[in-house]
């Protein structure tokens, strides 16, 4: 909506700005520019579905100098993530691409990712997303049923509906491995990253996302909740040998 | 945008346009900043208000979180920071009955069976094999493991039986009522009387109802009954609501989504959903459930009209045949679905509903 406001207002101003001698010219120019932009973004969306993992792999390992650093330098050689940098391996392609777009247009604020995302063309974003989506997430199978004494496990699998908090599993999958194109895997996120996202939703520096679902839930989550959930997923991964980072 | 054309020298016209747009951007930023400040004030204000309310006198029932449950009050015209947001039709507020905490199932042989019931309730398809004919679990329509007010909680049902039911034209026990769930909502086979599955589910419901008055209809029992829609419920409007608010999770085709071998978002029609004999196929029941509970985490965010419309859209799709089917759709409608809230045997968009789906199970 913001974008639309930004794009539409100058036209209205130009068309009605009688005091500006060149108003008409500027309006025409702006309108042409707008049409071109709209066409370009529509085309980007239309073509956006086809990401090529091979091309994405090259960007992930080498980057696109000078603006785009290799993804691997922060997110790990296999997209397994590092302290403060979330894992990307096995994350849904649609989700990854939508986040790159959000970094680029500023609806998800990140000083680190913004210049990188802007440096990627729509096709690059689709390629990178396809590549990381093709890697194994290493997320373990879901535990059978949570121990009531384990607050994190309980929140992850049962939620706290009295406070309007559905179970993490009810949207992110039984093992926190993500569902479809819009519900990302969360099982391998560390507590500080999770907390930073929750803070971002609370402050608005991270856009509300689809239907504002997570932004709404984030406002109901305490720091202890986040800590407990992250600990639960980490412990689940540690208990299962196949739950380690990919390769 | 500049990074698209790094070497471009702007013309005077472009510069003028640029200046104007920069001014506008500044203006919008100022507006945005105000909105952010107002929202922050509201969020923190209501938080503080809530803390103040709950701290001095902890009530036995869990205090509801009106501010947190309400949709963000964007750009309220007259922000009063400390005033709580307009109370949503909060479920927890009206519900007088609080079931025992979910993590307090007792130990011992009784506790074991209660726990078994809880697991059956959560993972019905996987754990009640042979009795379930679709991809649903009890918890899909009875949220929070059957505990949530306005989501047909078990504590609201258990104490209502035995009861005469017009559906069966007989006095049914709670166990017989459960058998009905398996036949219709689960599109399966009713476990035989006294079967371990029924015993465990009944034990779970019994445990959850501790302290609930027998025979009294409690607030929050069943699904909320909505007022008749202002405008006649409409398929097209319902489809628009569905596409905007439901398809994200349930899919544009209504078939839900799976992950890690489990059905995460349930299918709402088609061979893997509830059949034409299930209560949820009735538009008023579905609308009540949707209004109070959907989208998950954003209950009561749809208007009543939207709930009526989208319930009409969902229940205008084909689903498995009513197991009481007489062999004739019109006769089956007359006998079992003679209600304005059932679309069984009704033609929608030129298609006669009630033909059932092939290939369930």
């Amino acid at each position: 909506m913001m974008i639309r406001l930004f794009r539409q207002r100058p036209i209205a101003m130009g068309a009605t700005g009688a005091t500006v001698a060149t108003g008409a010219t500027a309006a025409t120019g702006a309108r042409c520019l707008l049409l071109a932009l709209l066409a370009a973004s529509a085309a980007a969306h239309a073509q956006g579905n086809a990401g090529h993992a091979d091309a994405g792999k090259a960007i992930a390992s080498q980057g696109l100098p000078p603006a785009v650093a290799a993804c691997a330098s922060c997110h790990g050689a296999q997209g397994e993530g590092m302290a403060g940098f979330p894992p990307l391996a096995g994350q849904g392609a649609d989700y990854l691409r939508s986040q790159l777009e959000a970094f680029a247009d500023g609806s998800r604020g990140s000083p680190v990712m913004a210049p990188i995302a802007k440096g990627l063309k729509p096709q690059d974003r689709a390629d990178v997303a396809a590549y990381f989506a093709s890697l194994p997430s290493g997320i373990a199978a879901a535990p059978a049923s949570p121990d009531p004494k384990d607050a994190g496990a309980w929140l992850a699998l049962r939620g706290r509906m009295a406070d309007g908090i559905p179970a993490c599993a009810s949207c992110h999958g039984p093992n926190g491995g993500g569902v479809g194109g819009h519900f990302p895997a969360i099982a391998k996120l560390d507590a500080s990253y999770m907390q930073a996202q929750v803070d971002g939703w609370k402050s608005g520096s991270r856009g509300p996302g689809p239907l504002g679902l997570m932004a709404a839930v984030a406002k109901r989550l305490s720091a202890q909740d986040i800590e407990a959930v992250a600990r639960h997923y980490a412990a689940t991964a540690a208990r299962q040998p196949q739950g380690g980072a990919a390769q | 945008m500049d990074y698209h054309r790094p070497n471009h020298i702007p013309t005077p016209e472009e510069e003028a346009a640029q200046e104007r747009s920069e001014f506008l951007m500044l203006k919008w930023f100022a507006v945005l900043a105000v909105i952010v400040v107002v929202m922050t004030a509201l969020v923190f204000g209501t938080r503080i208000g809530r803390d103040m309310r709950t701290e001095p006198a902890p009530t036995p029932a869990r205090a509801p979180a009106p501010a947190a449950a309400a949709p963000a009050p964007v750009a309220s015209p007259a922000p009063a920071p400390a005033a709580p947001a307009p109370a949503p039709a909060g479920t927890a507020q009206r519900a007088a009955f609080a079931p025992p905490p979910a993590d307090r199932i007792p130990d011992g042989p009784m506790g074991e069976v209660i726990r078994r019931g809880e697991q059956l309730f959560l993972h019905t398809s996987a754990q009640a094999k042979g009795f379930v004919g679709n991809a649903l679990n009890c918890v899909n329509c009875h949220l929070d493991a059957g505990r949530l007010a306005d989501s047909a909680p078990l504590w609201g049902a258990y104490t209502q039986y035995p009861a005469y039911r017009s559906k069966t034209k007989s006095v049914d026990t709670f166990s017989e009522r459960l058998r009905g769930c398996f036949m219709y909502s689960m599109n399966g086979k009713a476990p035989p009387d006294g079967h371990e599955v029924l015993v465990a589910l009944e034990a779970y419901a019994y445990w959850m109802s501790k302290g609930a008055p027998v025979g009294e209809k409690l607030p929050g029992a069943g699904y909320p009954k909505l007022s008749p829609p202002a405008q006649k419920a409409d398929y097209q409007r319902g489809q628009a609501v569905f596409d905007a608010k439901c398809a994200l999770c349930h899919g544009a085709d209504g078939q839900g989504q799976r992950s890690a071998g489990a059905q995460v978002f349930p299918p709402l029609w088609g061979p893997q959903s509830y059949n034409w004999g299930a209560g949820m196929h009735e538009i008023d029941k579905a609308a009540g459930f949707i209004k109070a509970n959907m989208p998950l985490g954003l209950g009561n965010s749809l208007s009543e009209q939207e709930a009526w419309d989208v319930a009409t859209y969902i229940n205008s799709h084909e689903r498995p045949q009513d197991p009481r089917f007489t062999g004739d759709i019109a006769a089956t409608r007359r006998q079992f679905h003679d209600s304005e809230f059932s679309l069984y045997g009704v033609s929608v968009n030129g298609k006669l509903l009630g033909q059932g789906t092939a290939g369930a199970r």
Side-chain angles (χ1 to χ4, degrees):
Chain A
M1 195 175 76
M2 276 285 303
I3 308 262
R4 221 170 58 213
L5 288 173
F6 274 105
R7 283 178 185 165
Q8 284 174 349
R9 267 311 179 89
I11 293 177
M13 281 290 286
T16 55
T19 52
V20 184
T22 55
T25 336
T28 319
R31 193 169 286 152
C32 287
L33 188 65
L34 171 80
L35 285 176
L37 274 173
L38 284 180
S41 75
H45 261 279
Q47 65 163 330
N49 290 329
H52 303 292
D54 288 347
K57 185 178 185 179
I59 297 172
S61 55
Q62 293 145 35
L64 286 176
V68 180
C71 313
S73 55
C74 292
H75 292 280
Q78 298 295 325
E80 70 274 24
M82 293 185 195
F85 298 95
L88 306 177
Q91 195 60 277
D94 289 346
Y95 175 76
L96 288 174
R97 203 184 58 211
S98 70
Q99 296 313 300
L100 285 170
E101 283 163 7
F103 288 130
D105 70 22
S107 59
R108 180 172 174 182
S110 165
V112 176
M113 282 306 298
I116 295 171
K118 283 178 186 168
L120 293 170
K121 291 193 282 293
Q123 185 61 51
D124 298 333
R125 294 177 195 153
D127 293 345
V128 169
Y131 169 63
F132 283 112
S134 74
L135 299 177
S137 72
I139 291 173
S145 64
D147 178 353
K149 288 182 210 67
D150 182 342
W154 195 265
L155 210 47
L157 294 162
R158 294 288 298 271
R160 197 166 66 233
M161 286 300 278
D163 290 343
I165 303 170
C168 310
S170 62
C171 289
H172 294 280
N175 60 349
V179 183
H182 296 287
F183 298 92
I186 56 169
K188 300 211 121 196
L189 304 180
D190 62 39
S192 61
Y193 178 84
M194 275 192 197
Q195 185 61 52
Q197 304 320 301
V198 166
D199 293 343
W201 279 305
K202 286 180 179 172
S203 73
S205 71
R206 180 165 181 175
L211 294 185
L213 282 172
M214 194 59 217
V217 175
K219 293 184 175 75
R220 303 162 194 164
L221 289 167
S222 71
Q224 293 96 300
D225 292 336
I226 297 295
E227 180 70 40
V229 166
R231 206 174 332 114
H232 155 70
Y233 282 123
T236 309
R239 271 199 300 276
Q240 312 215 8
Q242 74 273 27
Q247 273 117 62
Chain B
M1 248 166 265
D2 286 349
Y3 57 84
H4 286 310
R5 304 188 296 170
N7 298 322
H8 174 74
I9 298 162
T11 63
E13 291 91 322
E14 280 176 331
E15 267 179 344
Q18 176 77 18
E19 265 174 38
R20 274 198 307 279
S21 79
E22 271 170 14
F23 169 72
L24 275 163
M25 277 172 87
L26 273 174
K27 215 173 91 183
W28 278 110
F29 269 116
V31 170
L32 264 179
V34 170
I35 291 175
V36 167
V37 168
V38 167
M39 281 180 65
T40 314
L42 278 172
V43 168
F44 277 87
T46 46
R47 282 221 144 189
I48 292 162
R50 191 176 73 195
D51 291 348
M52 277 161 52
R53 279 199 305 281
T54 51
E55 245 166 54
T59 47
R62 189 191 281 278
V74 182
S76 161
T91 53
Q93 282 164 321
R94 287 196 298 105
F97 181 76
D103 55 1
R104 299 287 161 75
I105 295 177
D107 291 327
M110 181 67 191
E112 255 172 58
V113 175
I114 296 170
R115 257 184 209 107
R116 162 80 174 142
E118 179 196 47
Q119 291 305 304
L120 278 162
F121 200 86
L122 294 168
H123 311 290
T124 325
S125 285
Q127 302 221 359
K129 278 203 188 321
F131 301 120
V132 178
N134 59 22
L136 301 184
N137 300 305
C138 306
V139 69
N140 291 141
C141 299
H142 309 272
L143 301 183
D144 194 20
R147 302 169 53 82
L148 193 65
D150 287 340
S151 181
L154 285 173
W155 49 260
Y158 180 77
T159 49
Q160 300 299 304
Y161 290 90
Y164 177 81
R165 302 183 69 225
S166 53
K167 185 167 185 171
T168 55
K169 302 215 170 14
S170 68
V171 172
D172 292 347
T173 63
F174 184 72
S175 177
E176 280 162 337
R177 179 67 189 82
L178 287 175
R179 298 178 83 231
C181 298
F182 280 98
M183 283 190 286
Y184 304 115
S185 298
M186 310 308 291
N187 191 35
K189 215 174 76 188
D193 220 6
H195 191 279
E196 168 273 323
V197 162
L198 296 178
V199 173
L201 284 169
E202 186 166 351
Y204 178 54
Y206 160 81
W207 166 78
M208 196 188 291
S209 307
K210 183 175 179 180
V214 170
E216 254 177 63
K217 190 170 188 310
L218 293 168
Y223 298 125
K225 199 167 155 40
L226 305 186
S227 328
Q231 293 172 274
K232 191 178 181 318
D234 179 71
Y235 178 99
Q236 303 291 343
R237 279 200 311 268
Q239 180 167 26
V241 174
F242 187 88
D243 290 346
K245 301 288 175 70
C246 315
L248 177 74
C249 297
H250 294 285
D253 62 0
Q255 297 311 293
Q257 296 190 64
R258 296 178 64 83
S259 171
Q263 189 77 41
V264 178
F265 301 116
L268 304 182
W269 61 80
Q272 293 301 320
S273 192
Y274 52 88
N275 70 33
W276 280 113
M280 194 56 90
H281 103 272
E282 290 161 21
I283 293 163
D284 55 336
K285 289 203 178 71
F289 168 77
I290 291 165
K291 170 75 178 111
N293 299 297
M294 290 287 120
L296 187 64
L298 300 176
N300 281 309
S301 64
L302 299 179
S303 69
E304 293 207 357
Q305 184 70 51
E306 286 174 317
W308 279 110
D309 290 340
V310 79
T312 299
Y313 174 73
I314 290 167
N315 283 330
S316 292
H317 287 80
E318 200 49 77
R319 53 184 66 261
Q321 185 56 269
D322 189 329
R324 299 165 297 181
F325 183 51
T326 63
D328 178 72
I329 292 178
T332 306
R333 177 174 171 87
R334 270 197 305 279
Q335 200 174 341
F336 301 112
H337 300 298
D338 187 17
S339 151
E340 57 175 316
F341 298 122
S342 174
L343 291 169
Y344 184 93
V346 173
S347 279
V348 173
N349 298 331
K351 264 165 70 181
L352 179 66
L353 294 170
Q355 307 189 47
T357 53
R361 312 207 55 169

